[in-house]
Amino acid sequence: MARYIVRRLLLLIPIWIGILALTFLMRVLVPGDPVEIMFFGQQRDPEVVAMIQRDLGLDRPLYEQFFIYVWGVMQGDLGTSITTQNAVWDEIKARFPYTFVLTLTSLGIAIVIGLVAGILSAVYKDSIIDAVAMIFALAGLSMPAFWLGLLLIYIFAVQLGWFPVLGEMSARGMVLPSVTLGVIASAVLARIVRSSMLEVLNEDYVRSARAKGLIERTVIVRHALKNALIPILTIIGLQFGGLLSGAFVIEVVFAWHGIGELAVIALQRRDFPLIQGVILVVATTYVLVNLIVDVLYAVVDPRITYS
Amino acid sequence: MSALQDEAREQSSSMRALSGQRMRSRRFDFVRAIAKTYPGKIGGVVIVLIITLAIFAPIIAPFDPYAIDPVNRLQPPSSQNFFGTDETGRDVFSRVIYGSRISLQVGLIAVSISMTLGVLFGLTAGFYGGVVDSLIMRFIDILLAFPGFLLALAIIAMLGPSLTNAMIAVGIGSAPGFARLIRSVVLSIRNTDYVMAARVIGASNFHIMRNQVLRNVLAPMIVLGTLEFPLAILIAANLSFLGLGAQPPTPEWGAMVVSARTFIRTEPWLINFPGIAIFITVLGFNLFGNAVRDALDPRLRKA
């Protein structure tokens, strides 16, 4: 097991270098010379321009710039924000926990709703419960997250006054954004849970479990669900990426000061080092979460041995 | 040799005629299979309705979607302005109607971009195999390390915010999925007898790709395309909501919601009409996409 995790971590290195290369290329491919942007519409002294280019390492060949970038990232140096003049890493570090907690809470909500709806609709296939659950899932799949968020704000914050309208960085302030994200993510999950449960419910071992007189709940949770978990886990891993992306929008809707909001502000101000940093951090988180999912496969299903 | 080739070609063309006939009747089966299900019916009706709205927008919409009327700003829905007016007095109903044009355009262009890129990369990787395949697939693995929306954001960051760039970004963002699917189909048919047969009669790589491989790729590609279509609309609406897609005063639904956000306490209908429009459109295409998938490719039903 430990060897497997180490091997998977090693396999991650080329992917991570790829992510670094893409985020690096992002800055290179941006139209316009950064020094040009700094001096926009002003007199420029060629000597000063050369100095800035040297400072930013722009006078070196591209591959050298890339190594300098990677070296910097390894040491936690993601550059300096153009607009705030703070270190990008500090900006991200201050906000990342908020996004992470929001995403995890939403994931928890999504898993609870998704599992319950999916299992119920599989067990009571073709019943009214199944129909309602699947209509709910389809609606969740088609609902723009920002609209659902605003609806919840209108109903629960403006009308009922149960929750703060915007920007309260507290547990109470996190209820509406995490419910919004969680409900939408649960839609995909419910569909996968249903289909993989349906597949498993026809298996011989489920019939045997029933035949030996186990109560239905044990049959479903211990025997069926356990075997249906692999595709469900895969989707949960992928949904984490969906939640991280969804956080970009939802954080703006609820003025939740996480890295999603930070990225959108940076995008609007064209603050490149900041955008680059957020994209790198989010992609890295996503890859790591999927590594955890891969490891969980082996935990959930002992038949999977990684040699 | 040439006689043999001619014979083979003749045979294959007569076979093609036969299979063409079979295909045509199968195509009707396919349409019937979609129309038979409720999702197919409802989705189809919604789609036809939205396309009609988009085409006849100038006739249906009672007002110019850009016409400002400061005297009648923020009016509630009435018999004159069915959906009320926005903060500059523009007729929300007309703007929602015109918005259908933009959403359909976004879906169409974004999906076309991802299909083209997906076919290009997937076909090349699957068909040539070896180093080419490894290189392309490693590149796609890296792209897939980014959640689709993040990739779109990165592209917008480079190209700058606009509706056109949002379509390009969404298209590129979902291309890796297409490439992967097409590669897997190509791999599964690369060594079939009929591809071998085509090779034996001396068909060129291009000929085989076009006539044998691409035809087999078509069905799964249509399925994925119809499923991606509503997703593309949704992502583009999200981008516009963030101010990274359609710019005001364009009557785009996501952009309309964001400018209506300020008035949520006093004029809640302003967020709801464009919101409902997105919801119904995406729902319609999702329903239809599910029906297409079930009819065309039962193997994908689980996905």
Side-chain angles (χ1 to χ4, degrees):
Chain A
M1 190 67 181
R3 263 185 61 197
Y4 168 70
I5 295 175
V6 171
R7 256 193 38 183
R8 277 290 327 221
L9 271 171
L10 288 178
L11 277 174
L12 221 64
I13 293 173
I15 294 274
W16 198 59
I17 292 176
I19 292 174
L20 280 170
L22 275 192
T23 42
F24 171 73
L25 273 180
M26 236 182 86
R27 192 182 59 190
V28 176
L29 290 176
V30 171
D33 177 22
V35 182
E36 199 81 10
I37 294 171
M38 276 184 207
F39 280 94
F40 185 70
Q42 289 171 23
Q43 282 281 341
R44 72 202 83 167
D45 182 352
E47 242 172 74
V48 175
V49 169
M51 204 178 75
I52 294 174
Q53 277 178 334
R54 204 167 37 232
D55 270 0
L56 295 173
L58 294 172
D59 55 342
R60 292 163 194 259
L62 214 54
Y63 69 89
E64 244 177 73
Q65 287 186 39
F66 179 60
F67 283 122
I68 294 169
Y69 172 66
V70 173
W71 187 243
V73 170
M74 301 285 226
Q75 293 167 319
D77 175 16
L78 297 174
T80 311
S81 156
I82 296 175
T83 43
T84 63
Q85 301 300 331
N86 292 332
V88 168
W89 178 241
D90 291 339
E91 296 261 355
I92 292 174
K93 212 167 53 184
R95 282 167 170 255
F96 185 76
Y98 292 115
T99 301
F100 196 69
V101 171
L102 174 66
T103 316
L104 273 190
T105 316
S106 317
L107 190 65
I109 294 172
I111 290 174
V112 171
I113 301 179
L115 277 184
V116 170
I119 291 173
L120 282 180
S121 65
V123 171
Y124 302 103
K125 187 174 178 282
D126 294 329
S127 71
I128 192 94
I129 298 176
D130 184 19
V132 170
M134 285 305 107
I135 288 172
F136 162 80
L138 204 65
L141 218 58
S142 313
M143 182 83 87
F146 56 85
W147 183 50
L148 179 61
L150 288 172
L151 276 184
L152 293 183
I153 288 180
Y154 180 69
I155 298 169
F156 294 102
V158 174
Q159 292 294 319
L160 299 172
W162 291 354
F163 300 104
V165 174
L166 292 176
E168 194 186 296
M169 306 300 286
S170 63
R172 217 166 70 96
M174 205 177 67
V175 172
L176 291 182
S178 54
V179 166
T180 310
L181 273 175
V183 163
I184 285 183
S186 73
V188 181
L189 203 59
R191 282 158 68 113
I192 299 294
V193 170
R194 177 179 183 268
S195 69
S196 57
M197 278 297 280
L198 281 178
E199 205 163 286
V200 169
L201 281 174
N202 287 325
E203 294 288 340
D204 288 342
Y205 51 79
V206 171
R207 195 172 338 114
S208 313
R210 285 211 180 100
K212 72 181 181 187
L214 292 180
I215 55 167
E216 192 62 18
R217 203 178 57 206
T218 315
V219 174
I220 285 161
V221 176
R222 297 278 298 273
H223 294 252
L225 182 63
K226 232 178 155 181
N227 280 290
L229 269 180
I230 291 290
I232 296 173
L233 265 180
T234 311
I235 293 296
I236 289 177
L238 291 174
Q239 277 300 300
F240 195 82
L243 287 171
L244 280 172
S245 321
F248 282 81
V249 181
I250 288 307
E251 286 182 3
V252 171
V253 171
F254 289 92
W256 184 259
H257 307 314
I259 54 170
E261 194 198 42
L262 182 70
V264 173
I265 294 171
L267 265 161
Q268 283 159 354
R269 294 180 184 160
R270 305 194 60 69
D271 186 341
F272 263 95
L274 202 49
I275 300 166
Q276 226 180 351
V278 173
I279 287 178
L280 181 66
V281 167
V282 172
T284 307
T285 314
Y286 182 49
V287 170
L288 285 176
V289 166
N290 277 296
L291 170 78
I292 296 171
V293 168
D294 269 7
V295 174
L296 281 180
Y297 283 162
V299 176
V300 166
D301 191 344
R303 282 170 303 184
I304 297 178
T305 50
Y306 297 101
S307 47
Chain B
M1 183 63 190
S2 97
L4 205 94
Q5 268 186 7
D6 281 348
E7 207 182 74
R9 200 168 295 149
E10 211 171 286
Q11 231 174 35
S12 85
S13 79
S14 71
M15 267 169 68
R16 199 179 305 147
L18 210 142
S19 78
Q21 228 170 27
R22 203 178 304 148
M23 263 186 85
R24 220 162 296 139
S25 78
R26 273 211 345 235
R27 208 169 291 158
F28 282 117
D29 284 351
F30 161 61
V31 174
R32 232 171 280 137
I34 294 174
K36 217 168 53 189
T37 59
Y38 275 112
K41 266 184 212 154
I42 301 170
V45 169
V46 172
I47 292 173
V48 169
L49 196 79
I50 289 161
I51 293 176
T52 315
L53 285 182
I55 294 175
F56 298 106
I59 300 170
I60 299 167
F63 296 95
D64 177 352
Y66 292 100
I68 293 173
D69 181 5
V71 180
N72 291 314
R73 62 193 289 272
L74 297 172
Q75 293 297 312
S78 65
S79 60
Q80 242 231 311
N81 304 103
F82 302 133
F83 293 173
T85 60
D86 68 6
E87 71 277 15
T88 56
R90 292 173 296 207
D91 179 47
V92 176
F93 178 70
S94 305
R95 288 176 68 74
V96 169
I97 300 282
Y98 270 91
S100 63
R101 290 186 159 190
I102 294 169
S103 282
L104 290 181
Q105 216 182 327
V106 164
L108 214 61
I109 292 175
V111 170
S112 309
I113 291 174
S114 31
M115 270 191 184
T116 312
L117 291 175
V119 168
L120 214 65
F121 284 101
L123 213 58
T124 317
F127 197 78
Y128 289 107
V131 184
V132 179
D133 183 31
S134 306
L135 275 178
I136 293 179
M137 289 323 287
R138 288 302 77 75
F139 178 62
I140 285 174
D141 280 347
I142 291 167
L143 288 184
L144 285 171
F146 294 85
F149 188 70
L150 196 67
L151 205 55
L153 274 183
I155 295 164
I156 294 267
M158 289 191 277
L159 300 177
S162 81
L163 184 60
T164 317
N165 292 344
M167 295 186 215
I168 296 172
V170 175
I172 296 177
S174 46
F178 275 93
R180 254 197 158 167
L181 172 82
I182 287 161
R183 172 179 175 269
S184 71
V185 178
V186 173
L187 282 183
S188 72
I189 56 176
R190 195 172 56 171
N191 295 322
T192 52
D193 289 344
Y194 55 86
V195 171
M196 291 294 180
R199 237 182 244 293
V200 168
I201 62 169
S204 66
N205 272 345
F206 180 73
H207 182 94
I208 295 176
M209 274 204 213
R210 208 189 55 187
N211 288 299
Q212 271 78 34
V213 178
L214 209 54
R215 275 186 196 190
N216 281 289
V217 165
L218 219 54
M221 208 167 77
I222 291 173
V223 172
L224 191 61
T226 41
L227 291 173
E228 283 289 337
F229 197 97
L231 209 59
I233 294 179
L234 210 51
I235 296 175
N238 273 307
L239 288 173
S240 294
F241 176 82
L242 294 177
L244 306 172
Q247 302 295 318
T250 315
E252 199 275 346
W253 295 333
M256 286 170 72
V257 173
V258 76
S259 60
R261 209 180 127 192
T262 331
F263 307 100
I264 188 169
R265 279 172 191 279
T266 43
E267 284 86 15
W269 63 86
L270 279 177
I271 56 160
N272 285 334
F273 289 117
I276 291 168
I278 302 172
F279 178 59
I280 291 177
T281 307
V282 174
L283 186 67
F285 278 102
N286 269 334
L287 283 167
F288 190 74
N290 285 344
V292 169
R293 180 193 54 199
D294 292 352
L296 206 55
D297 198 346
R299 278 170 309 168
L300 281 175
R301 207 165 288 189
K302 268 184 298 168

